[in-house]
Amino acid sequence: GAGVSQSPSNKVTEKGKDVELRCDPISGHTALYWYRQSLGQGLEFLIYFQGNSAPDKSGLPSDRFSAERTGGSVSTLTIQRTQQEDSAVYLCASSLQPSSGANVLTFGAGSRLTVL
Amino acid sequence: AQKVTQAQTEISVVEKEDVTLDCVYETRDTTYYLFWYKQPPSGELVFLIRRNSFDEQNEISGRYSWNFQKSTSSFNFTITASQVVDSAVYFCALSEFASNTGKLIFGQGTTLQVKP
């Protein structure tokens, strides 16, 4: 597509439930990133995918968080047994092959998660 | 360790005033990239500029200008003759060559409000 697409745009769930957030990157972009933006906070790196390489999961805050990327395209971020502190906007970004770090990330509009 | 600091949490100016957003970074890498992104109320981050660590030339794009000074580890952003449409959250970010992932380390953001 023309941009990074994320769904749902808004999700309200009850504490303890599992949620799945979806990201559809720009066609041809091999790198995909998930970030979390809590209220009034900066963007916190969660996970990075590049092609068929093992993902960089160093930013995942707990084992309740996981993500996968199927076929090198669409990615799903799963949060199990949600807690109130998981409430945030989850942003997905994609870029062409990152190589040197000079690549520009293109962000989606985000998925706003509210855990009651 | 890598870090980006945006000490100004919120700035409020009146339209047509000039405003400078500060950004200070920390990195041990000698090759790195610095970015500014704008996040308007719609939520989607918009890329503004990228600079590499070997290019300290200041850059001007219309009403926007950037001042990169390695001696003080700063990459400040100035908006000249601000407009109401400039109201947004602005993020400074760092990407290190050594990470080989292209992931961005963001500052906490500066909320700019331009009043008519």
Side-chain angles (χ1 to χ4, degrees):
Chain A
V4 178
S5 178
Q6 292 188 247
S7 61
S9 55
N10 275 286
K11 176 71 175 179
V12 179
T13 190
E14 294 179 349
K15 179 181 173 181
K17 295 284 180 68
D18 297 351
V19 296
E20 285 189 351
L21 308 176
R22 175 190 168 103
C23 173
D24 198 348
I26 292 174
S27 179
H29 280 193
T30 59
L32 187 147
Y33 307 79
W34 283 98
Y35 282 83
R36 177 169 71 175
Q37 185 175 21
S38 303
L39 186 63
Q41 300 295 311
L43 280 77
E44 174 190 12
F45 168 77
L46 296 178
I47 190 169
Y48 156 76
F49 295 92
Q50 168 58 34
N52 295 320
S53 302
D56 176 353
K57 305 179 182 180
S58 60
L60 294 179
S62 77
D63 58 8
R64 296 187 296 104
F65 287 72
S66 63
E68 63 177 18
R69 188 178 186 191
T70 53
S73 181
V74 172
S75 176
T76 302
L77 177 68
T78 301
I79 308 173
Q80 296 178 311
R81 305 180 303 281
T82 52
Q83 304 293 313
Q84 288 183 332
E85 60 262 30
D86 299 334
S87 296
V89 176
Y90 290 82
L91 292 162
C92 178
S94 69
S95 72
L96 294 171
Q97 187 173 348
S99 61
S100 62
N103 59 310
V104 174
L105 274 62
T106 302
F107 284 83
S111 292
R112 181 177 297 277
L113 174 65
T114 303
V115 182
L116 301 177
Chain B
Q2 62 273 43
K3 186 179 179 181
V4 176
T5 302
Q6 294 179 253
Q8 303 151 308
T9 305
E10 292 185 22
I11 300 175
S12 182
V13 299
V14 176
E15 203 168 22
K16 297 185 182 176
E17 284 185 18
D18 298 348
V19 58
T20 296
L21 310 181
D22 297 334
C23 173
V24 174
Y25 62 92
E26 295 176 29
T27 178
R28 292 178 182 170
D29 210 345
T30 55
T31 303
Y32 53 89
Y33 299 84
L34 297 165
F35 301 77
W36 277 94
Y37 279 82
K38 173 182 180 180
Q39 186 178 40
S42 62
E44 197 161 332
L45 275 85
V46 176
F47 165 75
L48 295 178
I49 190 172
R50 174 191 63 202
R51 301 301 300 225
N52 74 58
S53 53
F54 299 107
D55 182 2
E56 287 192 73
Q57 278 195 341
N58 292 330
E59 183 158 339
I60 298 174
S61 176
R63 296 184 297 106
Y64 295 171
S65 63
W66 290 269
N67 180 263
F68 176 27
Q69 292 195 346
K70 287 181 75 171
S71 61
T72 56
S73 296
S74 65
F75 186 44
N76 297 337
F77 173 29
T78 298
I79 302 174
T80 304
S82 59
Q83 300 177 1
V84 173
V85 293
D86 295 327
S87 296
V89 182
Y90 291 86
F91 290 97
C92 181
L94 165 72
S95 175
E96 295 175 320
F97 177 83
S99 78
N100 204 31
T101 64
K103 74 181 179 186
L104 297 177
I105 300 145
F106 285 88
Q108 298 291 69
T110 297
T111 300
L112 174 64
Q113 183 181 31
V114 181
K115 298 178 181 178

